[in-house]
Amino acid sequence: MKKVMMVALLAIVAMTANAQKFALIDMEYILKNIPAYERANEQLNQVSKKWQAEVEAINTEAQTLYKNYQNEVVFLSQEQKKAKQEEIMEKEKQASELKKKYFGPEGELFKKRESLMTPIQDEIYNAVKEISELRGYSLVLDRASDAGIIFGSPKIDISNEILAKLGYSN
């Protein structure tokens, strides 16, 4: 009886799986073929380097203050030592706050990346959605981001079709 139930269940699953259509896309491949994405990445790299240089400049100032403090510590009074220590800590705090402002979870780099990438991602999503609705795909998976896909037939990869839909034919 159990065997009959198992065979019936497998038959139902097989019939259901055959009724659905699937497709794959390679998001890395698609993004590499969209010039606006490459420009956005370059812009993000440039602004990131600029902001990193600002943070490093303040860190360097703090290090210089600390080295000077180490050299002068024997000649300073308690009040002067305390003032120098506070100055060093304030400079380190400035660097930390600036780093958080630029590179934190809700920092400027995150906001900049979102403002540059969201329109590109939305455009890709809409193209995938249109093609999926047109062709009747129940599911479209990204082979680039899902480690669970061991093999995907090139026959069901619609990456080039997405690029064509976006106007970036290969």
Side-chain angles (χ1 to χ4, degrees), residues 2 26 30 36 87 104-105 121 128 134-135:
K2 285 185 179 180
D26 186 337
I30 291 170
E87 184 181 6
Q121 291 170 335
V128 170
L134 182 69
R135 296 258 187 99

Side-chain angles (χ1 to χ4, degrees), residues 56-122:
E56 287 174 7
I58 294 174
N59 273 328
T60 302
E61 288 178 38
Q63 289 172 353
T64 302
L65 287 172
Y66 181 72
K67 286 178 185 175
N68 291 342
Y69 170 77
Q70 291 287 52
N71 292 333
E72 300 169 352
V73 72
V74 292
F75 305 112
L76 300 174
S77 68
Q78 284 302 106
E79 291 172 1
Q80 290 172 323
K81 285 180 186 178
K82 187 176 180 180
K84 294 272 185 184
Q85 290 170 352
E86 287 176 0
E87 184 181 6
I88 294 166
M89 289 188 331
E90 180 60 32
K91 199 53 88 169
E92 289 172 343
K93 183 180 174 187
Q94 283 178 358
S96 177
E97 287 174 353
L98 191 61
K99 185 175 183 179
K100 183 179 176 184
K101 175 186 172 191
Y102 288 148
F103 303 107
E106 296 294 321
E108 296 298 318
L109 187 62
F110 174 81
K111 292 174 185 171
K112 185 83 168 164
R113 177 176 284 117
E114 196 171 62
S115 72
L116 292 172
M117 297 301 182
T118 299
I120 296 168
Q121 291 170 335
D122 288 348

Side-chain angles (χ1 to χ4, degrees), residues 5-32:
M5 290 291 277
M6 187 63 94
V7 170
L9 182 62
L10 286 173
I12 291 171
V13 169
M15 287 174 26
T16 305
N18 287 337
Q20 296 176 346
K21 290 177 72 177
F22 303 99
L24 293 177
I25 62 170
D26 186 337
M27 189 61 83
E28 288 178 15
Y29 172 76
I30 291 170
L31 290 172
K32 284 179 185 175

